[in-house]
Amino acid sequence: RKEVEQDPGPFNVPEGATVAFNCTYSNSASQSFFWYRQDCRKEPKLLMSVYSSGNEDGRFTAQLNRASQYISLLIRDSKLSDSATYLCVVKRRAGKSTFGDGTTLTVKP
Amino acid sequence: EPEVTQTPSHQVTQMGQEVILRCVPISNHLYFYWYRQILGQKVEFLVSFYNNEISEKSEIFDDQFSVERPDGSNFTLKIRSTKLEDSAMYFCASSENSETQYFGPGTRLLVL
């Protein structure tokens, strides 16, 4: 079983749609959780950290369920510029971060 | 806004040659990382570095790989004898507190 599993995608949605990405992780000792976005052939860029209480940043909402070992990202009112690959990242301790395979989103006009 | 920089942006080398990839982390950061991403695949952890020593490394980071912080600003990844399968994008990242990591733009390595 993969350490971090994401929705395989791709997701193709119209502008203005709401889209949700899911991620599960297998190691219950995981401590920190993040969503990054990656544009084609570019570096991953931090989108947001994910906390148990849930957190929101504008149109983006992230949730963490430690009991289910599940992380989600919700994008509301999607824009063309949201088209990217979204990476779920799980960190066990000060060293290693484990990346999911990524879910590709294409927002169409 | 401070950012991680990497040089070169592209490197082409012959199989068996040594390459050194360079990174300048964000200046007040204390934790440094290398990742690689083979074309079409996911980002994979290679190594983390803190307090002038490796804190963790993956099974990919074998004896062919080494890291160094030769001065107060640079962080390097050396591949001693490159193989075809080392062709990938190599990302450096740094972190102030070992939590949030900021990535550099990457070096695209092609081994022929």
Side-chain angles (χ1 to χ4, degrees):
Chain A
R1 184 185 168 190
K2 289 182 183 176
E3 197 168 337
V4 179
E5 290 211 56
Q6 295 188 235
D7 287 334
F11 285 62
N12 296 299
V13 302
E15 263 186 298
T18 295
V19 61
F21 302 132
N22 301 313
C23 173
T24 57
Y25 59 95
S26 60
N27 193 322
S28 59
S30 300
Q31 296 175 340
S32 307
F33 309 90
F34 307 89
W35 284 101
Y36 280 76
R37 69 171 277 168
Q38 187 175 29
D39 294 286
C40 189
R41 294 177 177 264
K42 301 279 191 178
E43 74 273 26
K45 286 191 188 292
L46 178 69
L47 188 62
M48 55 202 306
S49 304
V50 190
Y51 306 111
S52 297
S53 53
N55 47 306
E56 190 173 310
D57 182 4
R59 298 181 294 108
F60 299 84
T61 301
Q63 296 276 355
L64 165 64
N65 184 322
R66 285 188 186 267
S68 305
Q69 296 180 198
Y70 168 87
I71 305 156
S72 65
L73 176 68
L74 184 77
I75 306 176
R76 287 181 299 278
D77 188 25
S78 51
K79 314 282 186 202
L80 297 176
S81 56
D82 294 334
S83 298
T85 297
Y86 289 82
L87 307 173
C88 175
V89 181
V90 172
K91 204 162 175 295
R92 277 188 284 125
R93 50 188 177 271
K96 178 182 176 181
S97 288
T98 302
F99 282 70
D101 290 342
T103 302
T104 299
L105 171 67
T106 302
V107 181
K108 300 189 173 180
Chain B
E1 187 178 315
E3 53 186 27
V4 178
T5 60
Q6 289 185 242
T7 54
S9 58
H10 294 78
Q11 173 97 44
V12 181
T13 190
Q14 295 288 328
M15 193 169 57
Q17 294 296 303
E18 174 184 287
V19 294
I20 297 176
L21 310 183
R22 292 185 165 78
C23 169
V24 179
I26 294 172
S27 62
N28 64 331
H29 285 189
L30 301 176
Y31 298 83
F32 314 114
Y33 310 85
W34 283 102
Y35 293 83
R36 79 170 186 191
Q37 187 174 30
I38 295 170
L39 189 64
Q41 298 187 22
K42 69 176 185 179
V43 176
E44 298 175 289
F45 170 80
L46 291 178
V47 66
S48 59
F49 191 87
Y50 170 71
N51 201 26
N52 283 318
E53 58 183 29
I54 290 173
S55 47
E56 187 170 358
K57 59 183 181 179
S58 72
E59 59 278 2
I60 303 168
F61 194 88
D62 62 21
D63 292 344
Q64 295 298 317
F65 290 87
S66 62
V67 289
E68 198 177 32
R69 188 152 160 84
D71 53 45
S73 58
N74 289 284
F75 179 52
T76 62
L77 174 69
K78 182 192 291 187
I79 310 175
R80 238 177 298 281
S81 177
T82 49
K83 307 189 212 34
L84 296 177
E85 55 265 35
D86 293 327
S87 295
M89 181 75 104
Y90 287 82
F91 293 111
C92 173
S94 71
S95 175
E96 185 178 9
N97 55 11
S98 84
E99 285 294 306
T100 307
Q101 296 177 24
Y102 296 89
F103 284 74
T107 293
R108 185 170 297 282
L109 176 65
L110 178 61
V111 182
L112 301 175

